[in-house]
Amino acid sequence: MSAKILVVEDEPAIQALIAVNLKRAGHEVIAALDAETARRHVDEVLPDLVLLDWMLPGISGLEFARRLRGDVRTRNVPIIMLTARGEESDKVQGLTTGADDYVTKPFSPKELLARIQAVLRRQRPQAAEDALEVSDLRLDPVTHRVTAAGRTVNLGPTEFRLLHFLMAHAERVHSRVQLLDQVWGDHVFVEERTVDVHIRRLRAALEATGHDALIQTVRGSGYRLSAEAAEQ
Amino acid sequence: MSAKILVVEDEPAIQALIAVNLKRAGHEVIAALDAETARRHVDEVLPDLVLLDWMLPGISGLEFARRLRGDVRTRNVPIIMLTARGEESDKVQGLTTGADDYVTKPFSPKELLARIQAVLRRQRPQAAEDALEVSDLRLDPVTHRVTAAGRTVNLGPTEFRLLHFLMAHAERVHSRVQLLDQVWGDHVFVEERTVDVHIRRLRAALEATGHDALIQTVRGSGYRLSAEAAEQ
DNA sequence: CGACGGGGTGACGCTTTTGTGACAGGTGGC
DNA sequence: GCCACCTGTCACAAAAGCGTCACCCCGTCG
């Protein structure tokens, strides 16, 4: 889960420290040493999250946060405040101004990352969590369980995601590349044929319940999960 | 006396008004504009109190309240209903569904706060929570005792809370991060792997009674407590 | 008929994820 | 201060999955 993160921190050393860690975690960092620069950046890139130092020269973090909340476009961008230890009243004030979380300095990079993940997770409107059903195959994202005609089907993580995707987009044909993008992730680089292997593993797992025919091969195009039995 | 308050209200203006006032009074506000969001928040943060608008788009306040009462974890979370003036019959119905109090719109912030304080005060002496049972494992939140098939199981505080949470959300898969948030607390920072260790300690404690298989590992996702025996 | 492109399969190192035992604090009772 | 009990982290072992290959089969098409 990577995101564009605007880091507003006037202390260059800390700014750099943060940047290094966020980047290592795969996030995109936009650095700003003062509120003025930050404001410009906000306009230009519309970050996914703002890391905001509480003590800024000139305009305070409080004020900056307030402006973010005032603008329709940035109203929903989550804010994490950086505060010096023990400024309890600031924390309270910060949270009331609309910060989503805070981290006290000094902080461990790990903690910072964890909080960022937490806030981003809270933010994303988690795709529909309802169980999927196709023919009497049933996949429940919440319990992470797959059953076919009552019997439980055991799948590895990748097969689970693959089936999840196929069931969510049943009847449609997906090329190997599409499947790689959707199931493995956009940036991951693996052989296209790898998809074949996982399809096979998935079929093998479903075979025990006689549902392996659900996944059909469309020669030259890709794969499709269909409720209609594949005619031959 | 500050508390985490979930505000379910679809009108942004009112939502904001409420939020400002609650925050000023030192409460932590979790805002939700619709029932769907609210439900997610409930799962994540387990609020101390729910402020619930009667007229919600989609699922009604009544229905939402009923669901809160249906879940073991939220059974005892007090609910204050917000109703439009003059919907007397609604009020009655609301109270019978389990709302603890109601406030008619328009309301004064002072009145709202007063009612909240009152309900919280009334609530404090934790109403007796029901014991949880999964397969013949039994956990009693009141006596803080766990028994499996009659025999008592000895747990440390953390393991107890962990088991409590898992039992309250049986069948569901929880990531390590979720468990840390829920069992350790939002602002505690410990390694994710720490969860593994506690899961192991929990399993070890249950092993004596042969119930250790209740806690299953879902590779790549987390852990799950399930009555169904783990397949293999 | 033989070359060919596509897809199915079984095997196999390798990496990632979990399970585990040990350990260095920390806390509260005494 | 000493003990008994918990806790969070590590390092290492054990699994469980993963991505690739090589090889096979099969329908197509010149």
Side-chain angles (χ1 to χ4, degrees):
Chain A
M1 176 149 45
S2 97
K4 271 185 297 186
I5 302 179
L6 172 63
V7 182
V8 192
E9 161 69 62
D10 59 305
E11 183 64 41
I14 300 182
Q15 172 72 257
L17 175 69
I18 295 176
V20 166
N21 282 289
L22 294 192
K23 281 176 181 162
R24 186 174 302 155
H27 296 295
E28 183 181 335
V29 174
I30 304 129
L33 291 170
D34 60 286
E36 202 42 54
T37 319
R39 193 129 42 103
R40 266 206 315 283
H41 284 320
V42 167
D43 276 345
E44 286 167 14
V45 300
L46 196 55
D48 297 317
L49 184 148
V50 176
L51 252 182
L52 179 60
D53 182 21
W54 194 235
M55 304 302 281
L56 285 176
I59 153 183
S60 77
L62 175 73
E63 181 54 28
F64 184 75
R66 195 169 280 152
R67 292 208 189 151
L68 282 180
R69 288 295 180 246
D71 186 327
V72 213
R73 287 169 45 226
T74 56
R75 194 189 301 287
N76 293 309
V77 177
I79 299 174
I80 296 182
M81 299 193 314
L82 297 173
T83 79
R85 187 181 297 291
E87 300 182 81
E88 291 296 330
S89 57
D90 279 358
K91 284 179 196 168
V92 175
Q93 204 178 10
L95 288 174
T96 62
T97 314
D100 292 84
D101 203 351
Y102 61 85
V103 176
T104 52
K105 291 191 274 192
F107 50 83
S108 79
K110 256 188 284 187
E111 174 179 6
L112 183 61
L113 284 174
R115 295 223 174 288
I116 289 176
Q117 300 296 15
V119 169
L120 286 178
R121 183 161 19 93
R122 217 176 296 157
Q123 189 72 3
R124 309 245 157 130
Q126 297 261 316
E129 292 265 317
D130 294 331
L132 298 170
E133 290 187 43
V134 172
S135 177
D136 58 355
L137 187 62
R138 181 187 164 83
L139 178 150
D140 186 336
V142 175
T143 62
H144 223 271
R145 262 201 174 108
V146 178
T147 55
R151 258 190 308 278
T152 298
V153 180
N154 257 331
L155 299 178
T158 307
E159 282 114 56
F160 183 85
R161 270 176 297 145
L162 179 55
L163 180 60
H164 189 2
F165 178 78
L166 289 176
M167 289 182 73
H169 304 274
E171 303 304 331
R172 205 169 317 176
V173 178
H174 307 281
S175 72
R176 293 174 174 69
V177 179
Q178 281 173 288
L179 289 173
L180 282 177
D181 279 356
Q182 300 294 320
V183 179
W184 274 255
D186 233 347
H187 40 70
V188 194
F189 177 70
V190 288
E191 287 296 324
E192 275 188 39
R193 287 305 302 283
T194 299
V195 174
D196 295 31
V197 179
H198 279 275
I199 287 283
R200 180 185 151 277
R201 287 171 181 160
L202 193 45
R203 279 174 173 157
L206 295 178
E207 196 165 33
T209 61
H211 288 68
D212 56 311
L214 278 181
I215 301 175
Q216 298 151 13
T217 306
V218 181
R219 232 186 138 73
S221 302
Y223 296 95
R224 165 182 58 200
L225 184 147
S226 167
E228 291 180 45
E231 302 301 318
Q232 204 52 335
Chain B
M1 175 149 47
S2 103
K4 272 186 296 189
I5 302 180
L6 172 63
V7 182
V8 192
E9 161 64 73
D10 59 322
E11 182 62 38
I14 301 183
Q15 173 73 255
L17 175 69
I18 295 176
V20 166
N21 282 291
L22 295 190
K23 282 175 181 168
R24 186 173 301 154
H27 296 296
E28 185 181 338
V29 174
I30 305 127
L33 291 171
D34 59 288
E36 201 40 45
T37 318
R39 190 132 43 104
R40 261 204 320 281
H41 286 321
V42 166
D43 270 341
E44 285 171 14
V45 301
L46 195 57
D48 298 317
L49 185 148
V50 176
L51 254 182
L52 178 61
D53 183 16
W54 190 234
M55 304 300 280
L56 282 176
I59 154 180
S60 78
L62 176 73
E63 179 56 28
F64 185 73
R66 197 168 278 152
R67 291 210 188 149
L68 282 181
R69 290 294 180 248
D71 187 325
V72 208
R73 281 174 67 227
T74 55
R75 195 189 301 289
N76 295 303
V77 177
I79 299 174
I80 296 182
M81 311 260 319
L82 298 173
T83 77
R85 186 181 298 288
E87 303 182 276
E88 290 297 329
S89 58
D90 279 357
K91 286 178 194 171
V92 175
Q93 205 179 10
L95 287 173
T96 60
T97 314
D100 296 82
D101 203 345
Y102 62 87
V103 176
T104 52
K105 294 191 271 194
F107 51 82
S108 79
K110 234 190 296 182
E111 179 190 359
L112 182 61
L113 284 173
R115 293 213 181 284
I116 288 176
Q117 299 299 10
V119 170
L120 284 178
R121 209 169 325 118
R122 210 181 306 153
Q123 184 70 9
R124 283 310 173 185
Q126 287 274 319
E129 278 186 58
D130 297 338
L132 298 171
E133 286 184 50
V134 173
S135 174
D136 56 356
L137 186 63
R138 183 186 164 83
L139 178 149
D140 188 332
V142 179
T143 63
H144 233 256
R145 190 161 282 153
V146 178
T147 56
R151 259 191 307 272
T152 299
V153 180
N154 255 338
L155 298 178
T158 307
E159 279 103 57
F160 181 84
R161 267 176 299 145
L162 179 55
L163 181 59
H164 187 181
F165 179 77
L166 288 175
M167 288 181 74
H169 297 271
E171 299 305 326
R172 218 180 148 115
V173 176
H174 309 280
S175 72
R176 292 174 175 69
V177 177
Q178 280 169 253
L179 289 172
L180 282 176
D181 279 358
Q182 298 295 321
V183 179
W184 274 255
D186 225 355
H187 269 85
V188 196
F189 182 72
V190 291
E191 285 295 325
E192 276 188 37
R193 288 297 249 102
T194 299
V195 175
D196 295 34
V197 178
H198 280 273
I199 287 282
R200 181 182 156 282
R201 288 171 180 160
L202 193 45
R203 277 175 175 157
L206 295 178
E207 196 165 33
T209 61
H211 288 67
D212 57 311
L214 277 182
I215 301 176
Q216 298 155 13
T217 305
V218 180
R219 223 150 211 277
S221 299
Y223 296 95
R224 164 180 60 202
L225 184 147
S226 167
E228 287 182 47
E231 306 291 321
Q232 194 40 321

